[in-house]
Amino acid sequence: MAEQTGSTLQNILEECRDGADGIGFNEVVVMLESTAASAEVYMDFDDLRFTPDGRIVTLMVPGGTHMHLDMSKIREAEFIHTTNDQGLPSYQLWMRDGDGNPAMRIYLRKSDDDATNPPRHEFFMGLLGKYPSKIALSEDEFGGAGEHP
């Protein structure tokens, strides 16, 4: 087995991006929220850039839009499979801060290529089997955490 070189969260995000047989998260909606506002960005989950120290991940969207996540501030990740209000399956990865507040949510959206939806379902269910409950993340993986990027 290959030795893990990044943080637990980095490894999870890379696993979601890379998938199996080319089928990973691919088409997603990334949601950022605070107590006063939220933003949703539709993107392909294929351009993740990690700083050399592994603390910050930048999610890139073609055209220049990008989001930064300071992974040293995330204390919990959770894969969630539910049914939405339209009766359709909902596949989610939630990342929460130390107070349990959602910092970033990633939702798989229905693929424009219907043939990829069943393998994406199987891939997500495999992740849910591997990570069946909340994943506790430690600040210790990053040493001294810095300030917001």
Side-chain angles (χ1 to χ4, degrees), residues 15-149:
E15 185 174 6
C16 292
R17 176 198 63 205
D18 297 343
D21 299 323
I23 301 294
F25 271 29
N26 308 110
E27 300 158 88
V28 300
V29 176
V30 177
M31 182 177 205
L32 303 172
E33 83 177 87
S34 72
T35 56
S38 66
E40 293 181 359
V41 177
Y42 287 70
M43 64 181 292
D44 293 329
F45 200 71
D46 58 1
D47 193 355
L48 304 180
R49 300 178 188 182
F50 298 91
T51 56
D53 65 1
R55 196 181 116 239
I56 307 294
V57 60
T58 302
L59 293 80
M60 300 297 297
V61 180
T65 298
H66 59 278
M67 296 164 280
H68 302 284
L69 176 65
D70 182 343
M71 295 186 294
S72 72
K73 308 274 193 241
I74 303 300
R75 294 291 157 266
E76 184 178 273
E78 182 179 16
F79 289 93
I80 300 171
H81 179 243
T82 62
T83 303
N84 67 20
D85 57 357
Q86 298 161 342
L88 300 171
S90 179
Y91 309 95
Q92 309 162 32
L93 170 59
W94 284 42
M95 290 166 270
R96 296 180 184 95
D97 65 18
D99 294 326
N101 299 314
M104 180 180 280
R105 299 183 212 174
I106 301 171
Y107 295 86
L108 274 69
R109 59 184 169 91
K110 185 177 179 200
S111 177
D112 293 333
D113 178 2
D114 286 334
T116 65
N117 287 318
R120 290 174 77 215
H121 168 82
E122 292 303 319
F123 174 66
F124 186 90
M125 297 310 285
L127 288 171
L128 192 58
K130 183 177 180 178
Y131 305 104
S133 58
K134 295 176 182 175
I135 305 154
L137 303 169
S138 172
E139 181 179 4
D140 295 340
E141 291 186 85
F142 298 96
E147 293 303 313
H148 184 70

